Amino acid sequence: MPKILVADDSIAVRKVAERLLTEAGLGVMLAANGEEAMAVLSKERPDLIVSDVIMPDKSGYEVCAFVRSQSALSHIPVLLISGIVNDEVTRQAETCKADGVLKKPFQGTSLKDRVLDLLSKRPPLDTVAIPVAEAGVRNNGTTAAPSSRPTELRKVPDIDQAQLGALRQAAARLGEAEAALRAERERTTQLVQRIAELERESARVKDLESQLAAEQERSALLEKRATDAERVAGRVQELEATLGAERDAAAQLVQQLNELEVIARRAVELEASLATEQRHAAELSQRLTEAQHQIQRMGELEAALVAEREQVAQLSCRVAETEPAIVRVKELEARLETEQERVEQATKRAIEAELAAQQATKRLEDMARKLAEIAGLASKLGNGTNTP
């Protein structure tokens, strides 16, 4: 049985090659890389080597070059396998004297056919020379017994020309017979391989027949499924249309929900603003009350001022009437000036209070207008939220 060495760093490729070659009736040895393949070659003599081009340590080119450099291995055919077969791969394969390049993954029986073709083209082995024992040949064709004294010279008997010619013819016929025997053995090996292939093909025909019946049943089932699938396809189209409408409605609802979320966030912001404005309005109301108190106080001060003026007028009359009252008048004038300053200050404060009251009134009007706008927005938001 021919032995094939398969070297590839992919365990899947090794398993596939082993199965294909084993089915072809060949023995298989496996190597996971170039170094391992060289280690196997140092111990075994396979009939053919199948090696991957790219491997981690030694490439397929290096393995082939190693085989061609060894006289004891140089006659072994080397088939390179590669996932990419281009001009560069072909050139390097020719450089290392490989016997061919096969693309992987293997298609059908390509690996088996290529390996069997290379095995059939192997050159015949050299005829092994049979050493003739050192002995004499008698004239009657019998072999003389060897000398019991190895140190003595043995005498070679004379052979006539007729016997020599007969021996030469016998040797020639022996060589032809050996060549014919080798050819017959190769032919027998090929016939055995062909018979095994035919048996496998016969088994494959039966498998194909069973597979055909199964495929026919499967086709009938597929036809039924196709009919069902057509009905389902119509239903699917209807469902797709319904789904599209539902998706549009869902998109609208999502858009409305987003708008409502925006409105809700705006309402929260407005509520916070309203609370702030309410606090501000309360502060303004308190300040307005204080301003009103100040205005009331200014009225009282004005009345007191009028009374003081009347008193000054009376005092003036009295001063005009009496000289002694002049001193008193001066005092009253000084007090009057003081009172006038106080009155001016009070008047100034009253004016400032009036301005503050006007500003407060304006801010209260603005606040009331804003509160009315906020109330309108809140009413709109309430109506929009309650609308289905």
Side-chain angles (χ1 to χ4, degrees):
M1 177 188 294
K3 294 185 295 183
I4 311 299
L5 172 60
V6 178
D8 197 298
D9 58 335
S10 172
I11 187 171
V13 174
R14 295 200 302 271
K15 291 298 182 183
V16 171
E18 182 181 17
R19 178 177 58 81
L20 295 174
L21 297 176
T22 303
E23 290 176 355
L26 304 172
V28 180
M29 297 181 292
L30 300 177
N33 50 59
E35 291 286 352
E36 189 172 335
M38 292 181 182
V40 172
L41 290 172
S42 65
K43 301 176 183 179
E44 302 287 343
R45 292 293 180 269
D47 296 282
L48 188 140
I49 300 171
V50 178
S51 176
D52 186 19
V53 169
I54 299 176
M55 290 185 287
D57 45 13
K58 298 290 184 181
S59 66
Y61 306 124
E62 292 175 301
V63 172
C64 183
F66 171 77
V67 170
R68 294 292 178 257
S69 65
Q70 303 295 318
S71 59
L73 305 174
S74 59
H75 65 282
I76 300 176
V78 178
L79 175 62
L80 298 178
I81 56 177
S82 175
I84 300 175
V85 179
N86 51 24
D87 295 339
E88 178 64 20
V89 174
T90 303
R91 184 186 65 79
Q92 294 193 35
E94 292 176 354
T95 302
C96 67
K97 298 180 181 179
D99 293 274
V101 181
L102 180 64
K103 182 175 176 58
K104 62 177 184 178
F106 312 121
Q107 302 296 326
T109 60
S110 58
L111 177 63
K112 178 187 71 174
D113 296 339
R114 195 67 175 273
V115 169
L116 293 176
D117 180 63
L118 291 175
L119 288 175
S120 65
K121 293 179 180 179
R122 284 182 302 171
L125 299 175
D126 296 335
T127 303
V128 179
I130 302 175
V132 180
E134 189 175 353
V137 181
R138 301 182 184 275
N139 290 333
N140 58 5
T142 61
T143 303
S147 173
S148 60
R149 293 179 299 174
T151 57
E152 296 181 357
L153 295 175
R154 292 185 296 273
K155 182 178 180 181
V156 179
D158 295 333
I159 301 175
D160 57 12
Q161 293 297 327
Q163 292 175 343
L164 182 59
L167 289 174
R168 288 177 177 174
Q169 291 177 0
R173 286 196 299 275
L174 179 60
E176 293 174 357
E178 289 178 348
L181 179 60
R182 286 194 298 272
E184 190 65 26
R185 284 178 178 174
E186 292 179 358
R187 183 181 177 187
T188 301
T189 302
Q190 294 176 0
L191 288 175
V192 170
Q193 294 175 353
R194 183 59 179 167
I195 290 170
E197 291 177 1
L198 291 175
E199 290 177 351
R200 287 192 296 274
E201 291 296 329
S202 177
R204 182 166 178 77
V205 167
K206 293 180 180 179
D207 293 338
L208 290 175
E209 289 176 352
S210 61
Q211 291 177 7
L212 178 60
E215 286 296 329
Q216 289 175 349
E217 294 177 358
R218 185 181 178 186
S219 297
L221 181 61
L222 288 175
E223 289 178 358
K224 183 179 179 182
R225 288 183 178 178
T227 304
D228 296 338
E230 289 178 355
R231 291 196 297 270
V232 172
R235 180 61 179 165
V236 167
Q237 290 179 355
E238 295 176 359
L239 292 175
E240 286 179 349
T242 305
L243 179 61
E246 291 295 331
R247 284 178 177 173
D248 294 338
Q252 293 177 359
L253 290 175
V254 169
Q255 184 176 1
Q256 292 177 0
L257 180 60
N258 292 332
E259 292 175 356
L260 289 176
E261 289 178 351
V262 172
I263 293 172
R265 287 195 296 269
R266 180 61 180 167
V268 172
E269 294 175 357
L270 291 175
E271 288 178 355
S273 300
L274 177 60
T276 303
E277 293 295 333
Q278 287 176 348
R279 289 194 301 270
H280 196 192
E283 293 176 357
L284 290 176
S285 177
Q286 184 178 1
R287 292 177 65 182
L288 178 61
T289 302
E290 294 176 356
Q292 290 176 351
H293 288 308
Q294 291 178 355
I295 292 171
Q296 185 178 1
R297 178 64 177 166
M298 284 189 294
E300 294 175 354
L301 291 175
E302 287 178 353
L305 179 61
V306 171
E308 290 292 333
R309 286 178 178 176
E310 290 177 355
Q311 290 179 2
V312 169
Q314 293 176 0
L315 291 173
S316 297
C317 292
R318 290 180 180 180
V319 167
E321 292 176 355
T322 60
E323 285 291 327
I326 292 172
V327 176
R328 181 64 177 169
V329 169
K330 290 182 178 178
E331 294 176 357
L332 291 174
E333 285 177 353
R335 292 178 63 186
L336 179 60
E337 288 176 358
T338 303
E339 290 296 328
Q340 287 177 350
E341 290 176 359
R342 290 177 62 190
V343 168
E344 287 176 357
Q345 291 179 358
T347 303
K348 185 177 180 181
R349 291 179 64 186
I351 293 171
E352 291 176 354
E354 288 178 358
L355 292 175
Q358 291 176 358
Q359 292 178 356
T361 303
K362 185 177 181 182
R363 292 186 65 181
L364 286 174
E365 292 175 354
D366 294 336
M367 182 64 66
R369 187 172 58 259
K370 289 182 180 179
L371 290 175
E373 291 176 357
I374 291 170
L377 287 176
S379 177
K380 290 180 181 180
L381 287 175
N383 295 331
T385 305
N386 295 328
T387 301

